[in-house]
């Protein structure tokens, strides 16, 4: 039994043996604390203070199961409401936003985060889409190390680039493969220009030719009119 003082909006771990089954504790947010009228209660258990809760779901408990981008401490806030005795509370916990979770200097055992809401009856998540990163095009997982390209500012997983975290950390100015490739092509083009080789002719004709310009303008007007 928890001796902590509970208040509305606290997040709590609920003994899984009390409501049903066994295993990991249930996690809920306190919506209301209800003290029953003892005179109207015939059974002792009905005299317990009741908590109205908003349940959190673990990825394994939701449709689709756990994905590779789900963090170890990730939860989904659901619209599943319930009520249980205050005696089933094991202890309080923290369920933070993803941004606040990232700011933690040390993640405690009972620290969690939530970035999605889940409607179990409809089996849908909100938001339905989130930003994706890296060549794997996966949402951000705070448990996986990522490195940012100093040129394009995109984020990458070392393993997706077939390199290591140690190798990337040793570079003070790191550029991703795409930016490296574009830089090499630009350098090659500048070298070709500096060597005096004639530039390739434009497939659309000479841009300085008045006749060509007029023809392009007329074709543009024709397309616009159509």
């Amino acid at each position: 039994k928890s001796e902590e003082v509970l208040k509305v909006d606290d997040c709590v771990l609920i003994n899984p043996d009390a409501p049903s089954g066994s295993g990991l504790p249930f996690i809920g947010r306190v919506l209301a604390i209800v003290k029953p009228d003892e005179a109207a209660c015939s059974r002792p258990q009905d005299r317990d203070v009741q908590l109205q809760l908003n349940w959190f779901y673990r990825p394994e408990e939701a449709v689709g199961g756990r994905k590779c981008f789900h963090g170890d401490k990730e939860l989904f806030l659901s619209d599943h409401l319930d009520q249980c005795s205050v005696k089933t509370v094991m202890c309080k916990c923290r369920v933070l936003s993803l941004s606040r979770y990232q700011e933690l200097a040390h993640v405690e055992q009972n620290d969690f985060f939530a970035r999605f809401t889940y409607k179990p009856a409809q089996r849908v998540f909100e938001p339905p889409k989130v930003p994706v990163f890296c060549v794997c095009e996966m949402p951000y997982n705070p448990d996986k190390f990522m490195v940012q390209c100093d040129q394009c500012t995109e984020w990458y997983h070392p393993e997706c680039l077939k390199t290591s975290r140690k190798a990337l950390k040793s570079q003070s100015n790191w550029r991703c493969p795409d930016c490296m490739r574009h830089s090499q092509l630009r350098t090659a083009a500048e070298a070709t220009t500096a060597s005096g080789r004639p530039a390739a002719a434009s497939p659309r004709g000479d841009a300085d030719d008045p006749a060509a310009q007029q023809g392009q303008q007329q074709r543009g007007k024709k397309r616009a009119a159509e």
Side-chain angles (χ1 to χ4, degrees):
K1 178 181 177 180
S2 173
E3 298 298 331
E4 296 177 296
V5 177
L6 296 178
K7 60 184 184 299
V8 172
D9 283 336
D10 280 344
C11 293
V12 292
L13 300 183
I14 300 295
N15 186 344
D17 293 330
S20 63
S22 62
L24 295 172
F26 297 119
I27 303 175
R29 186 187 301 278
V30 178
L31 300 179
I33 302 174
V34 181
K35 187 175 181 180
D37 181 0
E38 295 186 5
C41 298
S42 58
R43 300 182 305 171
Q45 60 266 35
D46 294 334
R47 298 169 189 163
D48 293 343
V49 174
Q50 297 293 307
L51 302 179
Q52 294 180 358
L53 299 172
N54 195 179
W55 291 121
F56 288 94
Y57 278 58
R58 291 181 173 85
E60 296 85 352
E61 300 165 339
V63 62
R66 178 172 288 277
K67 306 296 184 184
C68 63
F69 60 84
H70 289 143
D72 291 340
K73 309 298 286 293
E74 183 157 7
L75 303 173
F76 308 142
L77 177 62
S78 78
D79 60 356
H80 181 181
L81 306 182
D82 206 348
Q83 182 168 303
C84 63
S85 167
V86 71
K87 292 181 179 179
T88 63
V89 174
M90 299 170 63
C91 63
K92 292 201 289 188
C93 63
R94 292 195 298 178
V95 182
L96 309 172
S97 66
L98 177 57
S99 58
R100 286 191 60 198
Y101 181 83
Q102 290 175 270
E103 294 171 356
L104 294 178
H106 178 69
V107 178
E108 302 290 344
Q109 181 179 357
N110 293 331
D111 287 337
F112 303 89
F113 74 92
R115 55 179 158 178
F116 297 101
T117 58
Y118 177 57
K119 297 181 178 181
Q122 291 81 23
R123 298 160 65 93
V124 296
F125 294 91
E126 293 179 359
K129 294 181 180 180
V130 292
V132 296
F133 305 91
C134 189
V135 295
C136 62
E137 295 187 342
M138 285 291 175
Y140 174 65
N141 181 342
D143 299 325
K144 289 191 174 183
F145 175 79
M146 299 188 80
V147 63
Q148 187 178 37
C149 174
D150 289 316
Q151 186 167 330
C152 69
T153 70
E154 179 61 278
W155 290 88
Y156 294 88
H157 301 111
E159 58 270 24
C160 293
L161 302 179
K162 298 182 179 180
T163 185
S164 67
R165 177 174 180 173
K166 182 178 180 181
L168 293 175
K169 279 191 152 185
S170 65
Q171 302 179 42
S172 58
N173 185 16
W174 181 78
R175 289 184 293 174
C176 69
D178 280 346
C179 288
M180 288 289 292
R181 186 162 48 251
H182 293 157
S183 178
Q184 290 168 356
L185 290 174
R186 185 165 56 250
T187 300
E190 291 172 353
T192 300
T193 302
S195 69
R197 296 178 186 174
S202 170
R204 300 181 64 181
D206 187 354
D208 295 328
D209 183 353
Q213 290 180 349
Q214 183 179 9
Q216 291 171 2
Q217 292 170 358
Q218 289 174 347
R219 285 194 294 274
K221 290 177 181 178
K222 183 175 186 295
R223 284 196 295 271
E226 291 173 348

